[in-house]
Amino acid sequence: MKKIVTLLLMLLLCLTLAGCEEYEDTNGEDDFTLQTITDEDIINLSTGSSGLTYKESNLGMLKSAEYSATNHNGVDQIYLTNFISKSDVEVYIGHLNVKKGNFKLAIINQDEIIKEIPLDAFNETYRFEDLTGTFSVHVAGESAAFEFYIDIY
């Protein structure tokens, strides 16, 4: 029994040490620009993350979701697909509301950010044509509080 408790405590310590870093909002309440996380970090998902919550619906090729956080730190990949031949994708943003912290919602194709969604997006559709390879959507935050609705089809 003592060995099991010791093993569990060691595992808990390892998980704590490997946890996501918390970033401070160093650029003020009205500037939501990322300060520490780089575009390369976003593309490569090279930081851990914490604090993102979501409700998702998948209906065949249509994926819709509502994401939110009160203190999101790091980078999350919220969508990923691979295209063998040239394909078109539409990303619909119902609303995007950033309340505090630093935030970026990035559309990525073939390891390049092809679109940063504006922080005031409301009822906007972004169309991407003739894409091949890996297509993904990443969310990056530094002590960010936000909510947004997204459909991808």
Side-chain angles (χ1 to χ4, degrees), residues 38-40 42-43 104-117 138:
T38 65
D39 284 352
E40 186 175 306
I42 294 170
I43 292 167
K104 184 183 285 190
L105 181 59
I107 310 296
I108 299 169
N109 182 235
Q110 292 295 86
D111 296 329
E112 179 182 335
I113 295 176
I114 60 173
K115 180 71 177 173
E116 292 179 21
I117 303 299
H138 296 186

Side-chain angles (χ1 to χ4, degrees), residues 78-96:
I78 62 170
Y79 183 81
L80 172 67
T81 193
N82 291 296
F83 298 118
I84 296 171
S85 61
K86 291 183 178 180
S87 299
D88 298 342
V89 176
E90 288 188 359
V91 176
Y92 169 76
I93 305 295
H95 69 277
L96 173 58

Side-chain angles (χ1 to χ4, degrees), residues 6 16-17 23 26 28 41 54 68 82 85-86 89 96-97 99 104 109 115 117 123 125 140 144-145:
T6 303
T16 302
L17 294 175
Y23 300 92
T26 58
D41 293 333
Y54 61 94
S68 63
N82 291 296
S85 61
K86 291 183 178 180
V89 176
L96 173 58
N97 181 16
K99 300 169 190 165
K104 184 183 285 190
N109 182 235
K115 180 71 177 173
I117 303 299
N123 197 27
T125 300

